Amino acid sequence: MIVHQEVWAGRLWAARPLIVVEDSEERSLLWIPQGTRRKVPITPPHRLDPGDVHSRTIENLHHRDWVLGDHTWDVSSLWILTPDRWHSTWVSWRADGSHLGWYINLQRPMRRNVVGFEAMDLMLDVVVDPDLSWRWKDREEFDEIVRRGIFDREVADQVMSEALAVIDDLEGRHPPFDADWPSWRPDAEWALPSLPDGWNVVDD
Ligand SMILES: [Mg+2]
């Protein structure tokens, strides 16, 4: 089991435990089952909470004053990460085991550290249905973050070109979209992962 940390402005933004399925130089496969407890950024007590998750995220990034709260992961997912790429691909299942779809999560390239790895989420996502049709998610929020200068232009361009490259792979049925990942199943023996000691220690 390892910890995926997200770090923003030198502070821990989020943390979750994942089970290592495979870890090689070509790719890492990580499993996060429904019910896994994780840490997420929430509005600090001195500031009014905006009431919706998107505004909460944007204001926390802007003010850099978030605190960490508990959250329970709701969709069992297998993460496929490739070194140096600005995204991870998630394959997700409902509680009954049926395939929910895929998800392309734009994020910084993974940097390994003592507890696992760090890779900050970059807001923009692509939701992919089981039939491989796709749609943007959080495009407006991403544009707002760029407009406010929270992500600089270089990062914004990198995220968008990465997203378009993955969509090309998707439409061309290139890896990982050429394989039957929806038929993959976790080992029945695996317990829910939980955050180990040191989950909140941030590398410099
Ligand atoms: Mg995301």
Side-chain angles (χ1 to χ4, degrees):
M1 198 210 31
I2 60 166
V3 178
H4 166 220
Q5 294 181 327
E6 296 177 54
V7 175
W8 182 252
R11 296 179 59 221
L12 191 63
W13 170 260
R16 76 195 93 198
L18 300 115
I19 292 170
V20 179
V21 177
E22 180 189 310
D23 190 24
S24 69
E25 282 180 19
E26 291 83 51
R27 70 178 183 200
S28 301
L29 299 179
L30 304 167
W31 171 240
I32 180 162
Q34 178 189 38
T36 301
R37 304 276 289 167
R38 62 171 180 151
K39 298 289 181 180
V40 297
I42 60 175
T43 305
H46 68 262
R47 195 154 53 69
L48 194 63
D49 183 71
D52 73 280
V53 66
H54 295 119
S55 303
R56 182 178 305 131
T57 299
I58 292 170
E59 295 308 321
N60 277 333
L61 288 171
H62 175 76
H63 291 283
R64 301 182 172 188
D65 62 354
W66 66 89
V67 292
L68 292 177
D70 291 303
H71 185 266
T72 303
W73 189 253
D74 52 359
V75 181
S76 293
S77 302
L78 180 70
W79 290 10
I80 306 169
L81 279 98
T82 310
D84 305 322
R85 295 298 301 266
W86 285 63
H87 78 282
S88 63
T89 303
W90 304 355
V91 190
S92 300
W93 293 266
R94 298 184 188 86
D96 67 1
S98 61
H99 178 47
L100 177 64
W102 308 63
Y103 195 90
I104 299 160
N105 194 63
L106 281 305
Q107 60 189 50
R108 283 194 172 275
M110 65 189 294
R111 287 190 313 123
R112 292 175 188 272
N113 60 23
V114 174
V115 290
F117 71 100
E118 191 272 319
M120 180 68 190
D121 185 89
L122 294 171
M123 187 52 115
L124 187 65
D125 309 290
V126 179
V127 176
V128 183
D129 287 329
D131 66 1
L132 298 185
S133 58
W134 63 270
R135 60 189 178 277
W136 295 110
K137 179 170 174 285
D138 301 343
R139 179 81 190 258
E140 284 170 25
E141 290 75 11
F142 174 75
D143 290 345
E144 168 77 3
I145 284 176
V146 174
R147 191 186 64 72
R148 288 173 60 163
I150 296 170
F151 294 166
D152 62 31
R153 177 51 61 186
E154 200 178 327
V155 166
D157 290 348
Q158 183 71 48
V159 167
M160 195 48 72
S161 69
E162 180 80 355
L164 295 175
V166 182
I167 289 166
D168 266 358
D169 284 342
L170 171 66
E171 293 187 332
R173 304 300 188 256
H174 299 305
F177 306 103
D178 60 336
D180 188 18
W181 286 107
S183 294
W184 180 89
R185 290 292 178 270
D187 191 320
E189 303 284 296
W190 292 342
L192 270 191
S194 59
L195 286 170
D197 286 349
W199 63 269
N200 55 347
V201 177
V202 171
D203 270 12
D204 294 323

